[in-house]
Short mmCIF file of all heavy atoms in Angstrom, two decimals:
data_model
loop_
_atom_site.label_atom_id
_atom_site.label_comp_id
_atom_site.label_asym_id
_atom_site.label_seq_id
_atom_site.Cartn_x
_atom_site.Cartn_y
_atom_site.Cartn_z
N MET O 8 -68.16 -67.71 -41.65
CA MET O 8 -68.40 -68.14 -40.27
C MET O 8 -69.84 -67.84 -39.86
O MET O 8 -70.46 -68.65 -39.20
CB MET O 8 -67.40 -67.44 -39.34
CG MET O 8 -67.52 -67.83 -37.91
SD MET O 8 -67.02 -69.54 -37.69
CE MET O 8 -67.06 -69.68 -35.95
N LYS O 9 -70.37 -66.66 -40.26
CA LYS O 9 -71.73 -66.30 -39.89
C LYS O 9 -72.74 -67.28 -40.47
O LYS O 9 -73.70 -67.65 -39.80
CB LYS O 9 -72.06 -64.89 -40.32
CG LYS O 9 -71.40 -63.83 -39.50
CD LYS O 9 -71.84 -62.45 -39.93
CE LYS O 9 -71.12 -61.39 -39.11
NZ LYS O 9 -71.54 -60.05 -39.49
N SER O 10 -72.53 -67.69 -41.73
CA SER O 10 -73.49 -68.63 -42.33
C SER O 10 -73.42 -69.99 -41.63
O SER O 10 -74.43 -70.67 -41.49
CB SER O 10 -73.23 -68.79 -43.82
OG SER O 10 -71.99 -69.41 -44.04
N TYR O 11 -72.22 -70.37 -41.19
CA TYR O 11 -72.09 -71.63 -40.46
C TYR O 11 -72.87 -71.56 -39.14
O TYR O 11 -73.59 -72.50 -38.79
CB TYR O 11 -70.62 -71.94 -40.18
CG TYR O 11 -70.45 -73.14 -39.28
CD1 TYR O 11 -70.65 -74.42 -39.77
CD2 TYR O 11 -70.11 -72.99 -37.93
CE1 TYR O 11 -70.52 -75.53 -38.95
CE2 TYR O 11 -69.98 -74.09 -37.10
CZ TYR O 11 -70.19 -75.35 -37.62
OH TYR O 11 -70.07 -76.43 -36.81
N LEU O 12 -72.74 -70.46 -38.43
CA LEU O 12 -73.46 -70.31 -37.16
C LEU O 12 -74.97 -70.27 -37.39
O LEU O 12 -75.74 -70.82 -36.61
CB LEU O 12 -73.01 -69.05 -36.42
CG LEU O 12 -71.60 -69.10 -35.84
CD1 LEU O 12 -71.25 -67.75 -35.24
CD2 LEU O 12 -71.48 -70.19 -34.79
N ARG O 13 -75.39 -69.60 -38.45
CA ARG O 13 -76.82 -69.46 -38.74
C ARG O 13 -77.44 -70.82 -39.05
O ARG O 13 -78.59 -71.07 -38.74
CB ARG O 13 -77.01 -68.50 -39.91
CG ARG O 13 -78.42 -68.15 -40.18
CD ARG O 13 -78.60 -67.11 -41.26
NE ARG O 13 -77.50 -67.02 -42.20
CZ ARG O 13 -76.83 -65.91 -42.45
NH1 ARG O 13 -77.15 -64.79 -41.87
NH2 ARG O 13 -75.82 -65.92 -43.31
N ASN O 14 -76.67 -71.73 -39.64
CA ASN O 14 -77.18 -73.03 -40.03
C ASN O 14 -76.78 -74.16 -39.09
O ASN O 14 -77.07 -75.31 -39.37
CB ASN O 14 -76.73 -73.36 -41.45
CG ASN O 14 -77.33 -72.43 -42.45
OD1 ASN O 14 -78.47 -72.03 -42.31
ND2 ASN O 14 -76.57 -72.06 -43.45
N SER O 15 -76.12 -73.85 -38.02
CA SER O 15 -75.66 -74.91 -37.12
C SER O 15 -76.84 -75.51 -36.36
O SER O 15 -77.90 -74.90 -36.23
CB SER O 15 -74.64 -74.36 -36.13
OG SER O 15 -75.27 -73.54 -35.16
N TRP O 16 -76.64 -76.69 -35.85
CA TRP O 16 -77.71 -77.36 -35.11
C TRP O 16 -78.07 -76.60 -33.85
O TRP O 16 -79.22 -76.62 -33.41
CB TRP O 16 -77.35 -78.81 -34.81
CG TRP O 16 -76.23 -78.98 -33.83
CD1 TRP O 16 -74.91 -79.07 -34.11
CD2 TRP O 16 -76.34 -79.05 -32.41
NE1 TRP O 16 -74.19 -79.19 -32.95
CE2 TRP O 16 -75.04 -79.19 -31.88
CE3 TRP O 16 -77.40 -79.01 -31.51
CZ2 TRP O 16 -74.79 -79.29 -30.52
CZ3 TRP O 16 -77.15 -79.11 -30.16
CH2 TRP O 16 -75.86 -79.25 -29.69
N VAL O 17 -77.12 -75.90 -33.28
CA VAL O 17 -77.39 -75.12 -32.06
C VAL O 17 -78.37 -74.00 -32.37
O VAL O 17 -79.33 -73.77 -31.64
CB VAL O 17 -76.08 -74.56 -31.45
CG1 VAL O 17 -76.38 -73.64 -30.29
CG2 VAL O 17 -75.16 -75.69 -31.05
N MET O 18 -78.14 -73.30 -33.48
CA MET O 18 -79.03 -72.21 -33.85
C MET O 18 -80.42 -72.73 -34.22
O MET O 18 -81.42 -72.12 -33.88
CB MET O 18 -78.44 -71.40 -35.01
CG MET O 18 -77.21 -70.62 -34.62
SD MET O 18 -77.45 -69.54 -33.18
CE MET O 18 -78.58 -68.36 -33.84
N ARG O 19 -80.47 -73.87 -34.92
CA ARG O 19 -81.78 -74.46 -35.23
C ARG O 19 -82.51 -74.82 -33.95
O ARG O 19 -83.72 -74.61 -33.83
CB ARG O 19 -81.59 -75.70 -36.12
CG ARG O 19 -81.16 -75.37 -37.52
CD ARG O 19 -81.30 -76.55 -38.47
NE ARG O 19 -80.88 -77.83 -37.94
CZ ARG O 19 -79.70 -78.39 -38.16
NH1 ARG O 19 -78.81 -77.77 -38.90
NH2 ARG O 19 -79.42 -79.57 -37.66
N TRP O 20 -81.79 -75.37 -33.01
CA TRP O 20 -82.39 -75.75 -31.73
C TRP O 20 -82.89 -74.51 -30.99
O TRP O 20 -83.99 -74.53 -30.45
CB TRP O 20 -81.36 -76.51 -30.89
CG TRP O 20 -81.89 -76.98 -29.58
CD1 TRP O 20 -82.73 -78.02 -29.36
CD2 TRP O 20 -81.63 -76.40 -28.30
NE1 TRP O 20 -82.99 -78.14 -28.01
CE2 TRP O 20 -82.33 -77.15 -27.34
CE3 TRP O 20 -80.86 -75.33 -27.88
CZ2 TRP O 20 -82.29 -76.84 -26.00
CZ3 TRP O 20 -80.82 -75.03 -26.54
CH2 TRP O 20 -81.53 -75.78 -25.62
N LEU O 21 -82.09 -73.44 -30.98
CA LEU O 21 -82.52 -72.21 -30.31
C LEU O 21 -83.76 -71.61 -30.98
O LEU O 21 -84.66 -71.12 -30.29
CB LEU O 21 -81.38 -71.20 -30.29
CG LEU O 21 -80.21 -71.53 -29.37
CD1 LEU O 21 -79.07 -70.53 -29.57
CD2 LEU O 21 -80.65 -71.56 -27.91
N ARG O 22 -83.81 -71.64 -32.32
CA ARG O 22 -85.00 -71.15 -33.02
C ARG O 22 -86.21 -72.00 -32.66
O ARG O 22 -87.31 -71.48 -32.46
CB ARG O 22 -84.78 -71.14 -34.52
CG ARG O 22 -83.98 -69.95 -35.01
CD ARG O 22 -84.07 -69.79 -36.52
NE ARG O 22 -83.52 -70.92 -37.24
CZ ARG O 22 -82.27 -71.03 -37.66
NH1 ARG O 22 -81.41 -70.07 -37.42
NH2 ARG O 22 -81.87 -72.10 -38.31
N TYR O 23 -86.02 -73.31 -32.59
CA TYR O 23 -87.13 -74.20 -32.22
C TYR O 23 -87.61 -73.90 -30.80
O TYR O 23 -88.82 -73.81 -30.56
CB TYR O 23 -86.71 -75.67 -32.33
CG TYR O 23 -87.77 -76.59 -31.81
CD1 TYR O 23 -88.90 -76.85 -32.55
CD2 TYR O 23 -87.65 -77.16 -30.54
CE1 TYR O 23 -89.89 -77.68 -32.07
CE2 TYR O 23 -88.64 -77.98 -30.05
CZ TYR O 23 -89.76 -78.24 -30.81
OH TYR O 23 -90.75 -79.04 -30.32
N ILE O 24 -86.71 -73.72 -29.87
CA ILE O 24 -87.07 -73.41 -28.49
C ILE O 24 -87.84 -72.10 -28.44
O ILE O 24 -88.85 -71.98 -27.72
CB ILE O 24 -85.83 -73.36 -27.57
CG1 ILE O 24 -85.20 -74.74 -27.44
CG2 ILE O 24 -86.16 -72.78 -26.20
CD1 ILE O 24 -86.10 -75.78 -26.78
N ASN O 25 -87.40 -71.10 -29.17
CA ASN O 25 -88.09 -69.82 -29.21
C ASN O 25 -89.51 -69.98 -29.76
O ASN O 25 -90.47 -69.44 -29.19
CB ASN O 25 -87.30 -68.82 -30.06
CG ASN O 25 -87.84 -67.43 -29.96
OD1 ASN O 25 -88.29 -67.00 -28.92
ND2 ASN O 25 -87.78 -66.72 -31.07
N THR O 26 -89.66 -70.72 -30.84
CA THR O 26 -90.98 -70.98 -31.41
C THR O 26 -91.84 -71.75 -30.42
O THR O 26 -93.02 -71.44 -30.24
CB THR O 26 -90.86 -71.77 -32.73
OG1 THR O 26 -90.07 -71.01 -33.63
CG2 THR O 26 -92.21 -72.06 -33.34
N TRP O 27 -91.26 -72.75 -29.78
CA TRP O 27 -92.00 -73.57 -28.81
C TRP O 27 -92.53 -72.70 -27.67
O TRP O 27 -93.67 -72.84 -27.26
CB TRP O 27 -91.09 -74.67 -28.28
CG TRP O 27 -91.75 -75.55 -27.28
CD1 TRP O 27 -92.57 -76.61 -27.54
CD2 TRP O 27 -91.66 -75.44 -25.86
NE1 TRP O 27 -92.99 -77.17 -26.36
CE2 TRP O 27 -92.45 -76.47 -25.31
CE3 TRP O 27 -90.99 -74.58 -25.00
CZ2 TRP O 27 -92.58 -76.65 -23.95
CZ3 TRP O 27 -91.13 -74.76 -23.64
CH2 TRP O 27 -91.91 -75.79 -23.14
N ARG O 28 -91.69 -71.79 -27.17
CA ARG O 28 -92.13 -70.90 -26.08
C ARG O 28 -93.28 -70.02 -26.50
O ARG O 28 -94.24 -69.82 -25.74
CB ARG O 28 -90.96 -70.04 -25.59
CG ARG O 28 -89.97 -70.79 -24.77
CD ARG O 28 -88.86 -69.88 -24.32
NE ARG O 28 -87.92 -70.61 -23.49
CZ ARG O 28 -86.74 -70.16 -23.17
NH1 ARG O 28 -86.34 -68.97 -23.58
NH2 ARG O 28 -85.94 -70.88 -22.41
N LYS O 29 -93.22 -69.47 -27.70
CA LYS O 29 -94.30 -68.62 -28.20
C LYS O 29 -95.59 -69.43 -28.33
O LYS O 29 -96.67 -68.97 -27.94
CB LYS O 29 -93.93 -68.01 -29.56
CG LYS O 29 -92.87 -66.96 -29.49
CD LYS O 29 -92.52 -66.47 -30.89
CE LYS O 29 -91.37 -65.49 -30.87
NZ LYS O 29 -90.99 -65.09 -32.24
N HIS O 30 -95.47 -70.63 -28.88
CA HIS O 30 -96.64 -71.48 -29.04
C HIS O 30 -97.23 -71.86 -27.68
O HIS O 30 -98.45 -71.87 -27.51
CB HIS O 30 -96.28 -72.74 -29.84
CG HIS O 30 -96.13 -72.50 -31.30
ND1 HIS O 30 -95.22 -71.62 -31.82
CD2 HIS O 30 -96.77 -73.03 -32.36
CE1 HIS O 30 -95.31 -71.63 -33.14
NE2 HIS O 30 -96.25 -72.48 -33.49
N ARG O 31 -96.38 -72.20 -26.73
CA ARG O 31 -96.88 -72.57 -25.40
C ARG O 31 -97.61 -71.41 -24.74
O ARG O 31 -98.60 -71.61 -24.06
CB ARG O 31 -95.72 -73.02 -24.49
CG ARG O 31 -95.19 -74.38 -24.78
CD ARG O 31 -96.19 -75.49 -24.70
NE ARG O 31 -96.90 -75.53 -23.43
CZ ARG O 31 -98.09 -76.07 -23.25
NH1 ARG O 31 -98.72 -76.64 -24.24
NH2 ARG O 31 -98.66 -76.06 -22.08
N ALA O 32 -97.12 -70.19 -24.93
CA ALA O 32 -97.79 -69.03 -24.34
C ALA O 32 -99.19 -68.87 -24.92
O ALA O 32 -100.15 -68.62 -24.18
CB ALA O 32 -96.97 -67.77 -24.60
N ILE O 33 -99.34 -69.08 -26.22
CA ILE O 33 -100.65 -68.98 -26.85
C ILE O 33 -101.57 -70.10 -26.37
O ILE O 33 -102.74 -69.87 -26.06
CB ILE O 33 -100.52 -69.00 -28.39
CG1 ILE O 33 -99.76 -67.77 -28.86
CG2 ILE O 33 -101.88 -69.09 -29.06
CD1 ILE O 33 -99.34 -67.82 -30.31
N ILE O 34 -101.02 -71.30 -26.27
CA ILE O 34 -101.81 -72.44 -25.79
C ILE O 34 -102.29 -72.20 -24.37
O ILE O 34 -103.46 -72.46 -24.04
CB ILE O 34 -100.99 -73.75 -25.89
CG1 ILE O 34 -100.82 -74.13 -27.36
CG2 ILE O 34 -101.64 -74.88 -25.11
CD1 ILE O 34 -99.82 -75.25 -27.60
N LYS O 35 -101.43 -71.66 -23.51
CA LYS O 35 -101.82 -71.37 -22.13
C LYS O 35 -102.93 -70.32 -22.08
O LYS O 35 -103.87 -70.44 -21.29
CB LYS O 35 -100.62 -70.91 -21.32
CG LYS O 35 -99.68 -72.03 -20.96
CD LYS O 35 -98.50 -71.51 -20.15
CE LYS O 35 -97.56 -72.63 -19.81
NZ LYS O 35 -96.45 -72.18 -18.96
N GLU O 36 -102.82 -69.29 -22.92
CA GLU O 36 -103.87 -68.26 -22.96
C GLU O 36 -105.20 -68.85 -23.38
O GLU O 36 -106.23 -68.54 -22.79
CB GLU O 36 -103.48 -67.14 -23.92
CG GLU O 36 -102.42 -66.21 -23.38
CD GLU O 36 -102.13 -65.07 -24.34
OE1 GLU O 36 -103.08 -64.55 -24.97
OE2 GLU O 36 -100.95 -64.71 -24.45
N LEU O 37 -105.18 -69.68 -24.42
CA LEU O 37 -106.44 -70.28 -24.89
C LEU O 37 -107.00 -71.26 -23.87
O LEU O 37 -108.22 -71.31 -23.67
CB LEU O 37 -106.22 -70.97 -26.24
CG LEU O 37 -106.01 -70.05 -27.43
CD1 LEU O 37 -105.63 -70.85 -28.67
CD2 LEU O 37 -107.26 -69.21 -27.69
N ASN O 38 -106.15 -72.02 -23.21
CA ASN O 38 -106.63 -72.96 -22.20
C ASN O 38 -107.20 -72.24 -20.98
O ASN O 38 -108.01 -72.82 -20.25
CB ASN O 38 -105.51 -73.91 -21.77
CG ASN O 38 -105.35 -75.05 -22.73
OD1 ASN O 38 -106.31 -75.52 -23.34
ND2 ASN O 38 -104.12 -75.51 -22.90
N ALA O 39 -106.81 -71.00 -20.77
CA ALA O 39 -107.33 -70.23 -19.63
C ALA O 39 -108.76 -69.76 -19.88
O ALA O 39 -109.48 -69.43 -18.93
CB ALA O 39 -106.44 -69.04 -19.34
N LEU O 40 -109.20 -69.75 -21.15
CA LEU O 40 -110.55 -69.32 -21.47
C LEU O 40 -111.55 -70.41 -21.12
O LEU O 40 -111.23 -71.60 -21.17
CB LEU O 40 -110.66 -68.98 -22.96
CG LEU O 40 -109.76 -67.86 -23.47
CD1 LEU O 40 -109.89 -67.75 -24.99
CD2 LEU O 40 -110.10 -66.55 -22.81
N ASP O 41 -112.77 -70.00 -20.81
CA ASP O 41 -113.80 -71.02 -20.54
C ASP O 41 -114.35 -71.55 -21.86
O ASP O 41 -114.11 -71.00 -22.94
CB ASP O 41 -114.90 -70.46 -19.64
CG ASP O 41 -115.65 -69.30 -20.27
OD1 ASP O 41 -115.28 -68.86 -21.37
OD2 ASP O 41 -116.63 -68.84 -19.65
N ASP O 42 -115.11 -72.66 -21.77
CA ASP O 42 -115.61 -73.32 -22.97
C ASP O 42 -116.55 -72.44 -23.79
O ASP O 42 -116.55 -72.49 -25.01
CB ASP O 42 -116.31 -74.63 -22.59
CG ASP O 42 -115.33 -75.69 -22.12
OD1 ASP O 42 -114.15 -75.61 -22.51
OD2 ASP O 42 -115.75 -76.58 -21.37
N LYS O 43 -117.34 -71.60 -23.12
CA LYS O 43 -118.27 -70.72 -23.83
C LYS O 43 -117.50 -69.70 -24.67
O LYS O 43 -117.85 -69.44 -25.82
CB LYS O 43 -119.19 -70.02 -22.85
CG LYS O 43 -120.22 -69.14 -23.55
CD LYS O 43 -121.16 -68.48 -22.59
CE LYS O 43 -122.20 -67.62 -23.22
NZ LYS O 43 -121.98 -67.11 -24.54
N THR O 44 -116.46 -69.12 -24.10
CA THR O 44 -115.66 -68.14 -24.84
C THR O 44 -114.97 -68.80 -26.02
O THR O 44 -114.93 -68.23 -27.12
CB THR O 44 -114.62 -67.49 -23.91
OG1 THR O 44 -115.28 -66.94 -22.77
CG2 THR O 44 -113.85 -66.41 -24.63
N LEU O 45 -114.44 -69.99 -25.81
CA LEU O 45 -113.81 -70.72 -26.92
C LEU O 45 -114.84 -71.00 -28.02
O LEU O 45 -114.54 -70.85 -29.21
CB LEU O 45 -113.18 -72.02 -26.43
CG LEU O 45 -111.91 -71.88 -25.60
CD1 LEU O 45 -111.50 -73.24 -25.04
CD2 LEU O 45 -110.79 -71.28 -26.41
N ALA O 46 -116.03 -71.41 -27.63
CA ALA O 46 -117.08 -71.68 -28.62
C ALA O 46 -117.45 -70.41 -29.37
O ALA O 46 -117.74 -70.45 -30.58
CB ALA O 46 -118.31 -72.27 -27.93
N ASP O 47 -117.45 -69.27 -28.69
CA ASP O 47 -117.76 -68.00 -29.34
C ASP O 47 -116.76 -67.66 -30.45
O ASP O 47 -117.12 -67.02 -31.44
CB ASP O 47 -117.80 -66.85 -28.33
CG ASP O 47 -119.03 -66.89 -27.44
OD1 ASP O 47 -120.00 -67.61 -27.79
OD2 ASP O 47 -119.02 -66.20 -26.41
N ILE O 48 -115.52 -68.06 -30.28
CA ILE O 48 -114.52 -67.78 -31.31
C ILE O 48 -114.32 -68.98 -32.24
O ILE O 48 -113.45 -68.96 -33.10
CB ILE O 48 -113.18 -67.31 -30.71
CG1 ILE O 48 -112.58 -68.35 -29.76
CG2 ILE O 48 -113.32 -65.98 -30.02
CD1 ILE O 48 -111.21 -67.98 -29.24
N GLY O 49 -115.12 -70.02 -32.06
CA GLY O 49 -115.12 -71.16 -32.98
C GLY O 49 -114.03 -72.18 -32.74
O GLY O 49 -113.59 -72.85 -33.67
N ILE O 50 -113.60 -72.31 -31.49
CA ILE O 50 -112.54 -73.27 -31.16
C ILE O 50 -113.05 -74.24 -30.10
O ILE O 50 -113.68 -73.83 -29.13
CB ILE O 50 -111.29 -72.54 -30.62
CG1 ILE O 50 -110.72 -71.61 -31.68
CG2 ILE O 50 -110.23 -73.54 -30.17
CD1 ILE O 50 -109.58 -70.76 -31.18
N ARG O 51 -112.78 -75.51 -30.31
CA ARG O 51 -113.04 -76.50 -29.26
C ARG O 51 -111.75 -76.72 -28.50
O ARG O 51 -110.66 -76.65 -29.06
CB ARG O 51 -113.52 -77.82 -29.86
CG ARG O 51 -114.88 -77.69 -30.54
CD ARG O 51 -115.31 -78.99 -31.11
NE ARG O 51 -114.28 -79.46 -32.04
CZ ARG O 51 -114.34 -80.62 -32.67
NH1 ARG O 51 -115.33 -81.44 -32.49
NH2 ARG O 51 -113.37 -80.97 -33.50
N ARG O 52 -111.87 -77.00 -27.23
CA ARG O 52 -110.68 -77.17 -26.38
C ARG O 52 -109.75 -78.26 -26.91
O ARG O 52 -108.53 -78.12 -26.87
CB ARG O 52 -111.11 -77.49 -24.95
CG ARG O 52 -109.98 -77.43 -23.95
CD ARG O 52 -110.46 -77.42 -22.53
NE ARG O 52 -111.32 -76.29 -22.22
CZ ARG O 52 -110.88 -75.05 -21.96
NH1 ARG O 52 -109.61 -74.80 -22.00
NH2 ARG O 52 -111.73 -74.09 -21.68
N CYS O 53 -110.31 -79.32 -27.46
CA CYS O 53 -109.48 -80.42 -27.96
C CYS O 53 -108.70 -80.04 -29.23
O CYS O 53 -107.77 -80.74 -29.60
CB CYS O 53 -110.33 -81.66 -28.20
SG CYS O 53 -111.60 -81.44 -29.47
N ASP O 54 -109.07 -78.94 -29.88
CA ASP O 54 -108.40 -78.53 -31.11
C ASP O 54 -107.29 -77.51 -30.90
O ASP O 54 -106.62 -77.14 -31.86
CB ASP O 54 -109.42 -77.92 -32.08
CG ASP O 54 -110.42 -78.95 -32.57
OD1 ASP O 54 -110.06 -80.14 -32.63
OD2 ASP O 54 -111.56 -78.56 -32.87
N ILE O 55 -107.08 -77.06 -29.69
CA ILE O 55 -106.13 -75.96 -29.45
C ILE O 55 -104.73 -76.34 -29.92
O ILE O 55 -104.10 -75.58 -30.66
CB ILE O 55 -106.13 -75.55 -27.96
CG1 ILE O 55 -107.45 -74.87 -27.62
CG2 ILE O 55 -104.95 -74.62 -27.67
CD1 ILE O 55 -107.62 -74.55 -26.15
N ASP O 56 -104.21 -77.48 -29.53
CA ASP O 56 -102.85 -77.88 -29.94
C ASP O 56 -102.73 -77.97 -31.46
O ASP O 56 -101.74 -77.52 -32.03
CB ASP O 56 -102.45 -79.21 -29.32
CG ASP O 56 -101.93 -79.05 -27.91
OD1 ASP O 56 -101.51 -77.94 -27.56
OD2 ASP O 56 -101.93 -80.06 -27.18
N ASN O 57 -103.73 -78.55 -32.11
CA ASN O 57 -103.67 -78.69 -33.57
C ASN O 57 -103.74 -77.35 -34.27
O ASN O 57 -103.17 -77.18 -35.36
CB ASN O 57 -104.79 -79.59 -34.06
CG ASN O 57 -104.60 -81.02 -33.62
OD1 ASN O 57 -103.48 -81.47 -33.43
ND2 ASN O 57 -105.68 -81.74 -33.45
N LEU O 58 -104.44 -76.40 -33.70
CA LEU O 58 -104.53 -75.08 -34.32
C LEU O 58 -103.23 -74.30 -34.17
O LEU O 58 -102.83 -73.56 -35.08
CB LEU O 58 -105.67 -74.28 -33.69
CG LEU O 58 -107.07 -74.76 -34.00
CD1 LEU O 58 -108.08 -74.01 -33.15
CD2 LEU O 58 -107.38 -74.56 -35.47
N ILE O 59 -102.57 -74.45 -33.05
CA ILE O 59 -101.35 -73.69 -32.80
C ILE O 59 -100.16 -74.31 -33.52
O ILE O 59 -99.40 -73.62 -34.19
CB ILE O 59 -101.08 -73.59 -31.28
CG1 ILE O 59 -102.26 -72.95 -30.56
CG2 ILE O 59 -99.79 -72.82 -31.02
CD1 ILE O 59 -102.68 -71.61 -31.08
N TRP O 60 -99.97 -75.60 -33.37
CA TRP O 60 -98.85 -76.28 -34.05
C TRP O 60 -99.33 -76.68 -35.44
O TRP O 60 -99.83 -77.77 -35.66
CB TRP O 60 -98.40 -77.51 -33.28
CG TRP O 60 -97.63 -77.16 -32.07
CD1 TRP O 60 -98.07 -77.21 -30.79
CD2 TRP O 60 -96.27 -76.69 -32.01
NE1 TRP O 60 -97.08 -76.80 -29.93
CE2 TRP O 60 -95.97 -76.48 -30.65
CE3 TRP O 60 -95.30 -76.44 -32.96
CZ2 TRP O 60 -94.72 -76.02 -30.24
CZ3 TRP O 60 -94.07 -75.98 -32.55
CH2 TRP O 60 -93.79 -75.78 -31.19
N LEU O 61 -99.16 -75.80 -36.40
CA LEU O 61 -99.59 -76.05 -37.76
C LEU O 61 -98.69 -77.09 -38.42
O LEU O 61 -97.57 -77.34 -37.98
CB LEU O 61 -99.53 -74.74 -38.56
CG LEU O 61 -100.38 -73.60 -38.00
CD1 LEU O 61 -100.14 -72.33 -38.80
CD2 LEU O 61 -101.85 -73.97 -38.00
N ASP O 62 -99.19 -77.71 -39.48
CA ASP O 62 -98.40 -78.71 -40.21
C ASP O 62 -97.08 -78.12 -40.67
O ASP O 62 -96.06 -78.81 -40.69
CB ASP O 62 -99.18 -79.25 -41.40
CG ASP O 62 -100.31 -80.18 -40.99
OD1 ASP O 62 -100.20 -80.77 -39.89
OD2 ASP O 62 -101.28 -80.31 -41.74
N HIS O 63 -97.10 -76.85 -41.05
CA HIS O 63 -95.88 -76.17 -41.49
C HIS O 63 -94.82 -76.21 -40.38
O HIS O 63 -93.65 -76.47 -40.65
CB HIS O 63 -96.20 -74.73 -41.87
CG HIS O 63 -95.02 -73.91 -42.23
ND1 HIS O 63 -94.36 -74.07 -43.43
CD2 HIS O 63 -94.36 -72.94 -41.56
CE1 HIS O 63 -93.35 -73.22 -43.48
NE2 HIS O 63 -93.33 -72.52 -42.35
N ASP O 64 -95.23 -75.97 -39.14
CA ASP O 64 -94.30 -76.01 -38.01
C ASP O 64 -93.78 -77.43 -37.78
O ASP O 64 -92.60 -77.63 -37.50
CB ASP O 64 -94.97 -75.52 -36.72
CG ASP O 64 -95.35 -74.06 -36.79
OD1 ASP O 64 -94.58 -73.27 -37.36
OD2 ASP O 64 -96.44 -73.72 -36.28
N LYS O 65 -94.66 -78.39 -37.89
CA LYS O 65 -94.27 -79.78 -37.65
C LYS O 65 -93.27 -80.26 -38.69
O LYS O 65 -92.34 -81.00 -38.37
CB LYS O 65 -95.51 -80.68 -37.65
CG LYS O 65 -96.44 -80.41 -36.49
CD LYS O 65 -97.69 -81.24 -36.61
CE LYS O 65 -98.68 -80.87 -35.53
NZ LYS O 65 -99.97 -81.55 -35.71
N LYS O 66 -93.43 -79.83 -39.94
CA LYS O 66 -92.52 -80.25 -41.00
C LYS O 66 -91.16 -79.60 -40.87
O LYS O 66 -90.15 -80.15 -41.29
CB LYS O 66 -93.12 -79.90 -42.37
CG LYS O 66 -94.30 -80.75 -42.72
CD LYS O 66 -94.91 -80.31 -44.03
CE LYS O 66 -96.19 -81.08 -44.31
NZ LYS O 66 -96.88 -80.57 -45.48
N ARG O 67 -91.11 -78.39 -40.30
CA ARG O 67 -89.85 -77.65 -40.18
C ARG O 67 -88.98 -78.08 -39.01
O ARG O 67 -87.83 -77.69 -38.93
CB ARG O 67 -90.15 -76.15 -40.01
CG ARG O 67 -90.58 -75.50 -41.27
CD ARG O 67 -90.80 -74.04 -41.10
NE ARG O 67 -90.00 -73.49 -40.03
CZ ARG O 67 -90.22 -72.31 -39.48
NH1 ARG O 67 -91.19 -71.57 -39.89
NH2 ARG O 67 -89.46 -71.87 -38.51
N ARG O 68 -89.49 -78.86 -38.09
CA ARG O 68 -88.72 -79.26 -36.92
C ARG O 68 -87.39 -79.88 -37.33
O ARG O 68 -87.35 -80.83 -38.09
CB ARG O 68 -89.49 -80.25 -36.06
CG ARG O 68 -90.68 -79.63 -35.39
CD ARG O 68 -91.40 -80.64 -34.55
NE ARG O 68 -92.61 -80.04 -34.00
CZ ARG O 68 -93.56 -80.73 -33.44
NH1 ARG O 68 -93.46 -82.04 -33.31
NH2 ARG O 68 -94.62 -80.12 -32.98
N GLY O 69 -86.31 -79.32 -36.82
CA GLY O 69 -84.98 -79.88 -37.07
C GLY O 69 -84.40 -79.54 -38.43
O GLY O 69 -83.40 -80.10 -38.81
N THR O 70 -85.02 -78.61 -39.16
CA THR O 70 -84.47 -78.23 -40.46
C THR O 70 -83.86 -76.85 -40.39
O THR O 70 -83.99 -76.15 -39.39
CB THR O 70 -85.56 -78.24 -41.54
OG1 THR O 70 -86.49 -77.20 -41.25
CG2 THR O 70 -86.27 -79.58 -41.62
N ASN O 71 -83.26 -76.43 -41.47
CA ASN O 71 -82.64 -75.12 -41.54
C ASN O 71 -83.63 -74.01 -41.89
O ASN O 71 -83.28 -72.85 -41.94
CB ASN O 71 -81.52 -75.10 -42.58
CG ASN O 71 -80.32 -75.87 -42.10
OD1 ASN O 71 -80.11 -76.00 -40.91
ND2 ASN O 71 -79.54 -76.37 -43.02
N ALA O 72 -84.85 -74.35 -42.22
CA ALA O 72 -85.83 -73.36 -42.66
C ALA O 72 -86.12 -72.36 -41.56
O ALA O 72 -86.10 -72.67 -40.38
CB ALA O 72 -87.13 -74.06 -43.05
N LYS O 73 -86.38 -71.13 -41.98
CA LYS O 73 -86.71 -70.08 -41.02
C LYS O 73 -88.19 -69.86 -40.99
O LYS O 73 -88.92 -70.04 -41.87
CB LYS O 73 -86.02 -68.77 -41.39
CG LYS O 73 -84.55 -68.82 -41.11
CD LYS O 73 -83.96 -67.45 -41.34
CE LYS O 73 -82.48 -67.48 -41.00
NZ LYS O 73 -81.84 -66.23 -41.14
#
């Protein structure tokens, strides 16, 4: 029963929501910085979403992977 719950679509959805919330918090923090500060750390404002949502995250959407 535990393995069924761990792999159910509900649990995958909850894991995705949890990841999404963490990513959104980081995106909000970076967007709160001014352009000079972002440039100092080597990030352009237009690249923030691409840096946070890595290809690995995009490929895992809706799968059983942890």
Side-chain angles (χ1 to χ4, degrees):
M8 182 68 174
K9 286 184 182 181
S10 67
Y11 173 75
L12 289 176
R13 187 175 23 236
N14 294 323
S15 73
W16 68 270
V17 174
M18 292 306 293
R19 289 194 318 262
W20 182 75
L21 290 173
R22 280 194 298 269
Y23 173 77
I24 293 297
N25 189 36
T26 301
W27 180 82
R28 286 181 178 166
K29 289 177 185 177
H30 284 59
R31 285 302 306 156
I33 295 169
I34 290 169
K35 286 180 180 183
E36 285 183 39
L37 289 172
N38 278 327
L40 299 175
D41 62 355
D42 289 335
K43 183 178 181 339
T44 306
L45 288 173
D47 286 345
I48 59 175
I50 298 174
R51 294 180 303 177
R52 191 167 300 281
C53 63
D54 294 331
I55 291 174
D56 277 339
N57 292 331
L58 290 171
I59 303 305
W60 286 104
L61 302 175
D62 287 335
H63 175 74
D64 295 321
K65 293 175 186 173
K66 289 176 186 174
R67 285 183 26 196
R68 291 180 185 167
T70 66
N71 288 334
K73 287 187 178 182

